[in-house]
Amino acid sequence: MTKVLRKLRCILLFGIAFFLLPTNLQGQNSLYLDDTKFVDDRIEDALSRMTLEEKIAMCHAQSKFSTPGCPRLGIPEIWMSDGPHGVRMEFMWDSWSHADWTNDSCTVYPALTCLAATFNPILSFRYGNALGEEARYRKKDIILGPGVNIYRTPLNGRNFEYLGEDPFLASKMVVPYIQGVQKNGVAACMKHFALNNQDKWRDSINVEASDRALNEIYLPAFKAGVTEGKVWAVMGSYNRFRGQYCSHNNLLVNKILKGDWKFDGVFITDWGSAHNTIEAARNGLDIEMGSWTNGLSWGLSSAYNNYYLAQPFLRKIKSGELSESLLNEKVRRILRLNFRTNMDRNRPYGKKLTPEHKAIALKVAEEGIVLLKNEKQFFPIEKGRYNKIAVIGENAVKKLTQGGGSSELKPQEEISPLQGMIDKYGKDHILFSLGYASGEPNYSNELPSLYNADSLMTAAVETARNADVVILFGGLNKNFQQDCEGDDRKNMNLPFGQDELIVKLLEVNKNLGVVIISGNAVSMPWISKVNGLMQSWYLGSQGGIAAANIISGKVNPSGKLPFSIPKKLEDNGANSFGPIAYPGDGHNEVYKEDILVGYRWFDTKKIKPLFPFGYGLSYTTFVYGKARTDKRTYRPDETVKISFNLTNSGKMDGSEAVQLYVTQKNPTLLRPVKELKGFSKVALKAGETKIVEINLKVSDMAFYNDKISAWTLEQDDYEISIASSSRNIKSANTIKVVL
Ligand code: GLC
């Protein structure tokens, strides 16, 4: 055969081989996301080759943040990292000590409560994608976030990691976040499933809540993350629900998560949340992490072989007490995670600390800040308006990316509010005084400040006296029993003497504004005396720039409250029934407010909050036209199309998060006065008018009927309200639903 023919034969053979190859080698879309048959075959093949011991090893940790894979078969380790706001620093293999690497700093994105306050799902996708890129670059296969537990009480130490009090808002914001993360071949791990709405006694408290509260309030965001976001991992919570630990809870995991919702990913523990081999084996736990640790600061070293799903599980399989099929089901899910992440040859390579990452961190921070009060045109403080601006408060300089628990981060940069104000106005125009001081972040007790409070206050008052305007950067911080994992706040008050400081400052300078930085509502006894007030958040790396851009008017604030701010703690549903409803009696806790969480409580009980859910001002004004629906009567499978004109009637470009609430007129069971069932963030130039359209699925107006254990839509009249907050209805239409 001539040389030419031989060459032609090679080309032909290569061509045939190329097209027979699995598509992933052809550089096309990731095979594992498109061809489940192929993946399932690969999973069964791998499973058939693994020994019993190798399969057991896949189901539990080998180190603080990894599982071993199967080295003999080339199945990679699975590496996990916190957390919801950025990729956490590296840890020692087997201790809660940081590894002190020099290349593990990250972009710190704003806390998820800030993301929720943007009411902007597009930003949520960009946030998730940026986080996923950094996690991928840092070779993480699972990022341990987002957290979607509902904000039930302003005392919960971890509310800053979650998406607020409303299940619809949390559902709409969590889906794009998950999609953004997983686009990078990194698994998002939605947490903490479920009813983990406080951190006090988190590792043992038994929560009792009704089926209605479970289905209407506490599960929707998790359900959306699974059924719409297609999340690849879910983390069980520490607490118990109806007497069984959530990390191996038959109702939550087998029936709801893996049964009703058809979750095909891996269900992992929180660190130290497994307690029983037989329950863990039978009730859907796939990966056990962190047993015998508090998930924060201490743990039993090298305990991995004694984990509940380690030797004890192996022994029970060998004795026949537990079936090997239970193990195989776990390993199938873990292998599917491998194929979706570190065995997908086509997943992106990731990147970190890029200008785009900084830009999204800044954008979310700017869009999340909420303007709550603005009298006498206190804000914006344009450059040149004042000669001397006093910046007072520890939160103007304190590093707030540290502490707080597992969401702690090592920022490559963290621009403080003080730095942002100096960069914006020039150092000659900024006076600074600490005003108050707290101790260092830790997880066991409240360390006292090293500074003398009286001298700090005296200095701050002098600074205020000599200034034209005063901005106090106060709020909470990431210290123990503030916005911090492992326990809750003791009360709703501002800590470290801030209330007294504000009063003293006002005595010498009435031209004072307050910027609260927190993940929770705080009491504001001085509210009537200040002209300007903002609810700000843990804004991350670019926080100081965002704060200065909003304060100076470079950016128009557009955030809306993702939770209600009560006048006093007892006005809040969970805190109005005594200790059994919160924090519980140390063993049990009963969610007595039931489905009336947040504004649902305030509206139905006719209690006026200090600031309502969905509230937020702008430097411009918006005029809402009369809303119309596309018709008057609807069937259950239809969609209501609501439209209305929205005009920016002010002189400054701005954005408005318009909200849609639904009220059933004659429900057969108690329903909240109104429930959020739609929203849209609308950008408008000064003077511009847009037609806003919001679609409402009629089926979304159903309620969970615990008498028949099913979602129920009743034939009735429903009021569809368009609003700028849960307490400011701009127009309403009544529609009829006919079955
Ligand atoms: C912690 C937290 C959880 C975190 C995990 C790993 O205890 O509850 O959110 O992802 O342990 O640090």
Side-chain angles (χ1 to χ4, degrees), residues 562-598:
F563 52 71
S564 312
I565 298 182
K567 287 179 178 168
K568 59 184 188 304
L569 181 62
E570 302 69 49
D571 287 352
N572 183 62
N575 302 91
S576 58
F577 290 93
I580 192 58
Y582 175 84
D585 61 10
H587 302 287
N588 296 299
E589 180 178 31
V590 183
Y591 285 12
K592 284 182 171 291
E593 77 284 6
D594 201 61
I595 58 171
L596 300 180
V597 173

Side-chain angles (χ1 to χ4, degrees), residues 65 82 88 96 144 158 161 191-192 202 235 238 270-271 294-296 406 485:
F65 285 99
D82 292 306
R88 196 177 184 185
W96 285 113
L144 301 169
R158 293 190 82 174
E161 293 185 55
K191 67 189 187 181
H192 304 85
R202 67 176 181 171
M235 182 190 294
Y238 282 110
D270 199 338
W271 268 239
N294 69 352
L296 276 178
S406 57
E485 179 178 340

Side-chain angles (χ1 to χ4, degrees), residues 332-631:
R332 282 193 184 91
R333 290 170 177 269
I334 299 166
L335 288 168
R336 185 171 297 115
L337 186 86
N338 283 112
F339 284 122
R340 284 171 163 165
T341 58
N342 50 35
M343 290 177 77
D344 175 358
R345 295 185 186 89
N346 286 313
R347 65 175 176 163
Y349 295 108
K351 42 190 151 180
K352 74 172 182 177
L353 301 170
T354 68
E356 293 78 13
H357 293 159
K358 269 190 193 179
I360 187 65
L362 176 61
K363 181 78 176 147
V364 173
E366 288 171 343
E367 277 210 29
I369 291 172
V370 183
L371 178 60
L372 292 177
K373 186 176 180 184
N374 192 21
E375 289 175 5
K376 298 179 183 158
Q377 292 183 325
F378 183 84
F379 291 117
I381 297 176
E382 297 86 350
K383 288 172 71 172
R385 179 177 172 187
Y386 298 110
N387 181 36
K388 292 293 180 194
I389 300 170
V391 171
I392 296 175
E394 186 188 55
N395 271 357
V397 293
K398 188 174 179 77
K399 290 193 175 305
L400 293 171
T401 55
Q402 296 169 359
S406 57
S407 62
E408 62 167 2
L409 294 167
K410 182 198 277 187
Q412 185 204 39
E413 67 174 341
E414 181 175 358
I415 298 167
S416 69
L418 176 61
Q419 190 57 53
M421 295 295 281
I422 289 170
D423 292 347
K424 179 64 69 183
Y425 295 97
K427 64 180 174 33
D428 296 340
H429 299 287
I430 298 293
L431 309 172
F432 172 67
S433 192
L434 198 61
Y436 71 92
S438 62
E440 282 308 303
N442 68 85
Y443 305 126
S444 52
N445 51 54
E446 197 174 324
L447 296 180
S449 154
L450 302 177
Y451 301 91
N452 173 284
D454 292 341
S455 59
L456 289 176
M457 189 178 297
T458 304
V461 169
E462 277 316 297
T463 302
R465 193 194 307 278
N466 299 321
D468 304 314
V469 65
V470 180
I471 311 273
L472 179 96
F473 285 91
L476 306 179
N477 62 24
K478 301 290 191 69
N479 289 14
F480 184 67
Q481 292 180 334
Q482 297 300 326
D483 283 329
C484 181
E485 179 178 340
D487 206 339
D488 287 350
R489 297 163 69 194
K490 291 176 185 161
N491 55 54
M492 213 175 88
N493 304 333
L494 276 178
F496 319 122
Q498 294 174 67
D499 288 337
E500 187 190 355
L501 173 64
I502 290 169
V503 170
K504 291 288 185 200
L505 295 174
L506 283 164
E507 286 170 3
V508 298
N509 195 327
K510 299 242 176 296
N511 197 17
L512 180 140
V514 175
V515 177
I516 295 291
I517 296 175
S518 73
N520 262 311
V522 298
S523 304
M524 304 180 193
W526 31 262
I527 180 79
S528 61
K529 301 186 181 69
V530 300
N531 295 328
L533 174 66
M534 288 183 183
Q535 171 65 51
S536 185
W537 315 100
Y538 301 113
L539 296 176
S541 293
Q542 307 299 306
I545 298 175
N549 283 346
I550 295 287
I551 289 169
S552 66
K554 178 170 186 264
V555 174
N556 192 350
S558 62
K560 300 259 181 169
L561 288 177
F563 52 71
S564 312
I565 298 182
K567 287 179 178 168
K568 59 184 188 304
L569 181 62
E570 302 69 49
D571 287 352
N572 183 62
N575 302 91
S576 58
F577 290 93
I580 192 58
Y582 175 84
D585 61 10
H587 302 287
N588 296 299
E589 180 178 31
V590 183
Y591 285 12
K592 284 182 171 291
E593 77 284 6
D594 201 61
I595 58 171
L596 300 180
V597 173
Y599 67 89
R600 291 167 164 80
W601 174 265
F602 291 104
D603 291 351
T604 308
K605 300 299 184 183
K606 296 185 175 28
I607 299 169
K608 192 173 185 315
L610 185 59
F611 294 103
F613 171 85
Y615 179 86
L617 301 175
S618 171
Y619 292 149
T620 189
T621 48
F622 296 100
V623 175
Y624 287 63
K626 173 96 180 75
R628 288 176 191 76
T629 56
D630 56 333
K631 56 183 186 172

